Amino acid sequence: MTDSSFPRDPEAPRPPADRPPAYRPGSAQPRLNRPVRERYPQIRPTSGYGDPRIRHTGPGPGAGTEQEPERSSKLSARLALALTVVIGQLWGLTIVVDEWMTGDTGTAWWGAGFLVLSFLVVLGLWALDPKDR
């Protein structure tokens, strides 16, 4: 198999004439078709853990740590409150639908009032701190 359609890179090492190259060309630029060890001779098998040029790994100091713990705790508390209200609304909706289906509309209307009140509580929590959105 010959690459007569592409010009030969003068800097690329020539494969021996008796056997084809051990790699499969995939680029229009022959210089990019060389094996990795020929393209990047500075990369050794120990690069990454034994390479003395690498001093620090990872994103850097302080990455992944909480930068504003007060804001995080406030948001966590607000989330816990909102989840509690949502669970209460689901429970209330179950009770309201059950009462409505049995024909007790008076209790169903009280339950609907509870659902509206819990929605207003969530709305109040949302409006509590507008700069945090």
Side-chain angles (χ1 to χ4, degrees), residues 35-92:
V36 173
R37 64 184 171 277
E38 290 178 19
R39 283 184 282 159
Y40 305 105
Q42 71 273 18
I43 298 177
R44 297 184 299 276
T46 59
S47 289
Y49 62 90
D51 196 342
R53 294 174 293 176
I54 298 175
R55 294 197 176 108
H56 302 287
T57 60
T65 59
E66 185 57 52
Q67 303 297 324
E68 297 179 55
E70 295 85 12
R71 181 175 182 265
S72 175
S73 63
K74 185 169 47 171
L75 290 176
S76 296
R78 195 178 307 164
L79 180 66
L81 248 142
L83 286 175
T84 304
V85 169
V86 166
I87 290 171
Q89 284 179 332
L90 290 173
W91 171 77

Side-chain angles (χ1 to χ4, degrees), residues 17-36:
D18 58 344
R19 65 179 173 91
Y23 52 90
R24 188 173 142 219
S27 174
Q29 300 176 15
R31 63 184 178 79
L32 298 178
N33 293 330
R34 295 178 289 160
V36 173

Side-chain angles (χ1 to χ4, degrees), residues 109-127:
W109 283 113
W110 279 107
F114 168 77
L115 292 176
V116 169
L117 181 67
S118 63
F119 175 75
L120 291 175
V121 167
V122 171
L123 200 61
L125 289 173
W126 179 74

